[in-house]
Amino acid sequence: SIFCSSVSFMPCSFRIASKTTYEDTFARVMFLKDVIENKDGYKVFYDGGLPLRREVDLQLFFRLTWFASVSDVNREVDNGRGPVDYKVSYGSKDATLVEFKLASNSQLKRNLERQVEIYEKASDATNPSIKVILYFSESELNKTNAILKELKLQDNKNIVLIDARKDNKPSASKA
């Protein structure tokens, strides 16, 4: 189980027993995806019914998943070629990068092609990087899928799409 009862002020603490920062990071990305898509977390990205479309909100939301981690979790790490959104490491022999993008980003294709590779070399990442793409509409999903297909990345498990649409999440009583 990812939960244990070692924190006195809470019934349990969040702890993931992973062998690498990649496994730990991927599990937390999937937790974030579940919260946004299935537990009304998408609402954080809306104001007055309109999507905020700020990558920084997604980055900060991700930071909240790192409670009780033994890993070193750093945001906007710049090792010489520009800042990667997150670098998660456990010493110098285990490092994973995470890059967040909005599907509406006009540079999405270029970023998927080159950006993270450059960060990996500059930061000595030892594990595959994880790219997280947040979308707010069917058209953004379609655009993203077309880009992934063109780049032959549609089956890449290290690219995680998160659905922040509000029009496809009806209440269970109305579904």
Side-chain angles (χ1 to χ4, degrees), residues 79 81 97 115-125 129:
N79 287 313
R81 299 292 305 270
L97 304 181
Q115 185 178 25
V116 175
E117 244 178 51
I118 293 168
Y119 292 155
E120 286 172 343
K121 289 176 186 173
S123 70
D124 299 322
S129 294

Side-chain angles (χ1 to χ4, degrees), residues 19-25 28 62-63 66 69-75 77 79 84 86-98 123-127:
K19 294 179 183 172
T20 67
T21 59
Y22 172 81
E23 292 172 358
D24 197 1
T25 303
R28 292 169 194 261
F62 177 67
R63 184 64 178 98
W66 285 96
S69 173
V70 297
S71 296
D72 187 24
V73 180
N74 289 289
R75 186 166 165 255
V77 175
N79 287 313
V84 66
Y86 277 92
K87 180 177 183 181
V88 181
S89 60
Y90 190 77
S92 62
K93 300 203 183 302
D94 185 5
T96 302
L97 304 181
V98 184
S123 70
D124 299 322
T126 60
N127 301 316

